[in-house]
Amino acid sequence: MAAHEDRQEALAAYALGALDERDRPALEAHLLTCAGCRAALDELRLVTQGIALAVEPVAPPAGLRDRVLAQATLDVRDANNFVVETSDRVVSVRTTTTQLAPFWALTAAAGLVIAILSGAYAWRMNHALEASRSERAELEARLMLVTATDVTRVALAGQPDAPAASGRAYLSPSHGLVFTAQSLPALPSGRAYQLWIVTAKAPMSVGMLPVAPDGHVMVMMPMPAGMNAAMVAVAVTIEPEGGVPAPTGAKVLVGAVTPQ
Amino acid sequence: VRAALVQLPEEQRALIDLAYFEGLSQSEIAERTGAPLGTVKTRMRTAMHTLRSALAS
């Protein structure tokens, strides 16, 4: 009952356009599902329209018409006089004329607005085009890499800390590497995933992985510099944000490099 | 509606004026008139329903 009363009050205010901003979403949501309230609102809107029509017409003060006409006649007479008699007042008439005919100014302003808007539009389109070009270039680079003749494919399996995770790496000494993984668990703040290529001599850091909130990542990175021994494995570990020179944290993904 | 408006109690008519012609929300009206928000809501509803009845008859 109380809710019904509240709603009646809200509907009345809504029809008047006076319902507080914070109360509007709830009422509008209710109106979508309640035919009764929609009908009530329609009736209240008729009232609102009635209020608009009910405004008392205000009678102009007596004598206004005469005063306006008298003033207008006076102005015309004045204008006729000063054009002929005084040159300084002609200047003021010209000024008035200019103010009354700003059509060229409006046209110019409209032209300027159109120019600015279309310029902005062109700029945005150009921007979008640039973005799609660079996306395409990146995709082509990845394609080149995974189809390179020297590519080695490595499947990575989730470790006890992330049993559901899996990954895949494409290692090409000539083109770099592409790494993808999914189902990587979210990390506490200050921790991040770091990718490694383990060689016969030492683990080499490839870089930090920009893992999306859904646990997915796909990156293309250069091969680690100074790699001078055979690749043995690819691994992902949990490290302090910013990375470390040699792995310290738990391994979450590991895959052995097998000659292909 | 005009006749019904005239017959509304003064405080209700003032409310309609503030809401409709000055575009104030209920909270703003409460603030302006010093009346509690609940009172503003109730009066507004009463006024609108009175006018609706007048329109229907």
Side-chain angles (χ1 to χ4, degrees):
Chain A
M1 191 63 192
H4 178 76
E5 294 287 308
D6 286 351
R7 197 152 287 139
Q8 292 296 311
E9 289 178 355
L11 280 172
Y14 191 71
L16 272 172
L19 189 63
D20 284 334
E21 191 95 44
R22 61 171 181 271
D23 297 331
R24 254 177 255 163
L27 182 68
E28 282 168 355
H30 174 74
L31 282 168
L32 288 177
T33 59
C34 179
C37 281
R38 279 201 300 275
L41 179 62
D42 285 344
E43 282 186 15
L44 290 167
R45 282 198 166 131
L46 287 177
V47 174
T48 315
Q49 288 163 14
I51 295 172
L53 298 174
V55 182
E56 291 283 342
V58 179
L64 179 65
R65 180 172 179 275
D66 289 346
R67 284 203 301 279
V68 168
L69 283 179
Q71 189 64 43
T73 317
L74 201 67
D75 285 350
V76 170
R77 210 178 316 126
D78 262 10
N80 290 341
N81 287 345
F82 69 62
V83 169
V84 185
E85 289 170 8
T86 54
S87 61
D88 59 331
R89 293 187 72 180
V90 171
V91 171
S92 83
V93 167
R94 281 195 186 137
T95 313
T96 311
T97 308
T98 313
Q99 282 168 352
L100 286 175
F103 182 72
W104 63 271
L106 286 178
T107 313
L112 191 63
V113 168
I114 290 167
I116 290 170
L117 288 180
S118 46
Y121 182 71
W123 184 82
R124 275 179 53 197
M125 290 314 284
N126 206 19
H127 211 67
L129 197 62
E130 282 299 318
S132 69
R133 269 194 199 128
S134 76
E135 256 171 40
R136 190 178 143 188
E138 202 182 317
L139 285 175
E140 276 176 0
R142 283 184 197 168
L143 194 61
M144 292 284 286
L145 191 156
V146 298
T147 56
T149 51
D150 61 353
V151 77
T152 304
R153 281 177 291 274
V154 179
L156 288 85
Q159 301 300 297
D161 279 343
S166 63
R168 191 165 282 272
Y170 299 85
L171 312 171
S172 161
S174 62
H175 286 79
L177 68 92
V178 164
F179 177 81
T180 74
Q182 41 280 318
S183 307
L184 287 168
L187 293 179
S189 75
R191 312 289 286 172
Y193 288 110
Q194 188 166 2
L195 178 64
W196 307 88
I197 291 180
V198 184
T199 71
K201 285 185 178 169
M204 315 279 290
S205 172
V206 180
M208 307 311 291
L209 294 173
V211 180
D214 66 355
H216 181 261
V217 61
M218 179 182 242
V219 283
M220 182 172 174
M221 293 168 143
M223 294 294 267
M227 222 171 44
N228 55 4
M231 296 182 288
V232 176
V234 177
V236 173
T237 59
I238 300 173
E239 303 294 350
E241 216 163 26
V244 288
T248 59
K251 290 189 190 76
V252 287
L253 282 171
V254 177
V257 177
T258 51
Q260 302 187 5
Chain B
V1 171
R2 189 183 301 166
L5 264 177
V6 173
Q7 281 166 18
L8 282 181
E10 177 55 36
E11 75 273 3
Q12 288 182 23
R13 197 169 65 238
L15 213 63
I16 298 283
D17 277 350
L18 289 172
Y20 189 81
F21 294 105
E22 294 200 33
L24 298 186
S25 73
Q26 291 184 316
S27 297
E28 289 166 334
I29 292 171
E31 214 168 279
R32 175 86 75 90
T33 60
L37 181 57
T39 309
V40 170
K41 288 181 177 179
T42 312
R43 279 181 187 162
M44 193 173 278
R45 193 198 99 180
T46 311
M48 287 296 279
H49 284 215
T50 306
L51 294 177
R52 187 184 60 188
S53 307
L55 202 68
S57 64

